Amino acid sequence: MVFPIVTPAPTSSDQTPGAGPPAVEDLSRRDERWQIRVRNLHKTFGPQHVLRGLNLDIERGRTNIIIGGSGQGKSVLMKHLMGLLKPDEGQIWVDGEDVVPFDTRQMAVLRRKFGMVFQYAALFDSMNVVENIAFPLIERYKLSRDEIMERVRDLLRRLDLENVGGIEQKFPPELSGGQRKRVGLARALIDRPEILLYDEPTTGLDPVATKNVDDMIRRTADEFHVTSVVISHDMASTFRIGDRISMLAQGVIIVSGPPAEVLVSRRPELREFVETSGLVPREEQA
Amino acid sequence: MSASSSVDGPPQKTVAVNAIAAALLDAALAPIRWGLKYAGDHAILLGQALTGLVRKPFRLRLFLEQAQFVGVGSLPIICLVGFFSGAVSAQQAIAALRIFNQERFVGATVGISLAQELAPVFAALMITARAGSGMATELGSMRITEQIDALTTFAVDPVQYLITPRIIATVIMMPIMTMVFNIVGLVGAYLYAIFLEHIDLGQFIEQFRYWTDPKDYIIGASKAAVFGLTLSVAACFQGFYVRGGAKEVGLATTRAVVAGSVSILVCDYFLIDIFHLLWSSQS
């Protein structure tokens, strides 16, 4: 079946709302390169039109970063990818399946492909570290306590949390910001997802902790072979860990491509972002 | 051409009057619309929670935790308020009955008023203040820290996981707490009447046994179960749908206590009529 849809070019794109030549492509086939393909996504909250026909491609097995200013709809986009929000219009293709019309049961199956690391970890306050990490396993499978503990301890070891004194029995308020992020990552990874979504993972962290989280994302992508989607407005982190960078502005992706291409884009929104972050010297005004 | 009319449409004056009439009607209907939406939203949440009760997985542990929080955790405050409510009721009853030289009826008076009214209403108000506010705060905090979103990402129905155990635990624990309130209230009334007012012990117990009936306790317990439903739905609704930050969680908690308390008193008015009607039609 062929779906006539307006799409961006696969490597880099400049999308303008309501513009762009229509190209016909078959999105219902599993694509070896692109794992998630978002087409013409619209979302409105009351009078606010947040997403305005957004197109986006997420590359399989790579670290995909979505940057953009505050209030541009990055978290809204993330919640659409995870199925926490339904779009007003548009399609989200995951491995060749449009997941927008999915019912609750299909969505529950789909979500097993995903792991999500929340901005402030969203650990359950009423559970200790082990219970938090084991939660997806307890809810989804009938595993013995020993099997669960083995997988939890394995993850704690791989995420360098094993030798942190008595961390297993600690509750979220007793953890530092960096530890929370890592426990949140462990919880997202415990069911071996194919796609990991990070919602602004370095927000509120000091520069050293930020670098540690960056390393953790990079290492996780390499070690667990997952597709990573990172929502961020931290430009230094973005260029440190990103394989592919997309910029969201005015409800659409205005630039998308490898870091080297994005860095030289002439889009004013992106230039301002890049120059303000100090990654490249600010250009003199003509 | 007149300034107040046009060639094609109705006179401008008529249009303005129509607009004002429509606005007034809209304003008059707004509270009704709001009330219907408010009740409808609560009913939807209750429906989802009850659906969760008959759908796997069954989470007995969560129910027991909530029963512990609503019931066992509320025991001290229920006992404290129950004791003094019983004593004060006895004090007022003796003062009134003394006019007719009928103080011996204090046991019956306090027993009936505790069983049908004071115990279910006061216990429900105490549970609203303690457990209802706790539920709203906990759920609100979970919402703003994205813990509820996290549950959804693990394909867990947050209504079934969070709301169903709270509502069921409150509905079951409320009649039990009401019975505790009754017992402790009677002890308070007994101690006040016997030791401070020197009412005859035999008369106190005999009149209580003669005039109170199991139906008084059945009515009280049934009312308590309904109060448990209304207060828990109000608390869960306010907490579950919080948007914003810490300030909104505080406001939601306040709304939960107000809505829970008002719903208890409003329901009480209708329930007592319904129960008396049902009982008189059966006897």
Side-chain angles (χ1 to χ4, degrees), chain A residues 41-97:
Chain A
L41 203 68
H42 286 266
K43 184 68 182 178
T44 305
F45 295 102
Q48 241 184 322
H49 197 166
V50 181
L51 303 181
R52 301 164 177 256
L54 178 142
N55 296 328
L56 174 69
D57 290 304
I58 299 295
E59 204 168 350
R60 193 184 297 278
R62 311 301 291 269
T63 302
N64 301 261
I65 317 272
I66 299 166
I67 56 171
S70 300
Q72 295 292 326
K74 300 189 301 292
S75 293
V76 172
L77 171 61
M78 180 75 98
K79 287 185 175 174
H80 277 91
L81 296 182
M82 193 72 205
L84 296 175
L85 289 174
K86 285 269 183 202
D88 301 333
E89 194 185 328
Q91 297 117 33
I92 300 167
W93 298 83
V94 180
D95 286 329
E97 276 188 297

Side-chain angles (χ1 to χ4, degrees), chain B residues 63-75:
Chain B
F63 163 74
L64 292 175
E65 278 175 13
Q66 289 307 316
Q68 196 273 339
F69 172 65
V70 174
V72 182
S74 302
L75 265 178

Side-chain angles (χ1 to χ4, degrees), chain A residues 132-250:
Chain A
N132 261 289
I133 297 173
F135 185 81
L137 295 182
I138 294 168
E139 283 298 320
R140 291 173 182 169
Y141 311 106
K142 287 196 189 323
L143 297 177
S144 70
R145 189 178 158 72
D146 288 345
E147 283 174 289
I148 290 173
M149 283 311 294
E150 192 183 325
R151 281 173 70 170
V152 170
R153 292 215 169 101
D154 176 52
L155 263 181
L156 287 174
R157 184 177 47 76
R158 289 164 82 171
L159 293 172
D160 296 334
L161 282 166
E162 192 183 38
N163 296 321
V164 181
I167 196 166
E168 290 184 10
Q169 299 308 318
K170 282 186 177 172
F171 283 82
E174 301 171 81
L175 304 175
S176 70
Q179 286 172 343
R180 279 170 173 242
K181 301 265 180 192
R182 277 188 282 171
V183 173
L185 176 62
R187 187 178 64 178
L189 281 170
I190 191 87
D191 200 18
R192 296 160 185 157
E194 293 176 34
I195 303 161
L196 255 184
L197 308 178
Y198 298 84
D199 189 4
E200 303 199 6
T202 54
T203 300
L205 297 182
D206 62 63
V208 177
T210 298
K211 187 176 177 306
N212 288 340
V213 170
D214 287 346
D215 293 343
M216 175 186 84
I217 294 172
R218 197 68 247 185
R219 223 165 32 142
T220 304
D222 296 339
E223 197 176 331
F224 293 86
H225 309 292
V226 291
T227 301
S228 305
V229 183
V230 184
I231 296 281
S232 181
H233 49 61
D234 182 337
M235 294 304 286
S237 288
T238 295
F239 285 94
R240 194 153 50 212
I241 62 174
D243 294 317
R244 184 178 179 82
I245 298 168
S246 305
M247 182 167 189
L248 176 60
Q250 295 140 35

